Amino acid sequence: MEEKITKEFIDGLLQWGQERLDKGDYPKETVRVNVSHSIPDCHVYIDAMVHTLALHWENPLFRPMVEEFDEFRHLLTDHPAAS
């Protein structure tokens, strides 16, 4: 995924997150991302990811966060029943 982390990719990811916050269009219950990762409050999670990644996306230490947020986006986009 590292090669696809561009300014345009991040802008799209952040825009998607901000739209979810603005519309309140996110799950209100706990979301299980995978076997070992659940998100109990999607509003707090999305808000934190948008603010953190907007400032730090270029830092390689934050690449796992970019990948995690993109995985969350795909989960909600590909499986709307999760939302």
Side-chain angles (χ1 to χ4, degrees), residues 26-79:
Y26 49 81
K28 307 302 188 246
E29 67 281 338
T30 299
V31 171
R32 179 175 288 292
V33 177
N34 57 43
V35 175
S36 61
H37 184 201
S38 293
I39 299 169
D41 188 328
C42 290
H43 177 84
V44 170
Y45 174 78
I46 295 169
D47 188 55
M49 290 301 250
V50 166
H51 286 89
T52 301
L53 295 179
L55 296 173
H56 302 291
W57 73 271
E58 291 180 286
N59 184 331
L61 292 174
F62 288 85
R63 292 223 167 99
M65 286 183 73
V66 171
E67 292 172 5
E68 177 183 312
F69 196 44
D70 188 44
E71 181 181 353
F72 178 75
R73 173 175 60 169
H74 284 291
L75 176 67
L76 296 189
T77 304
D78 296 344
H79 305 287

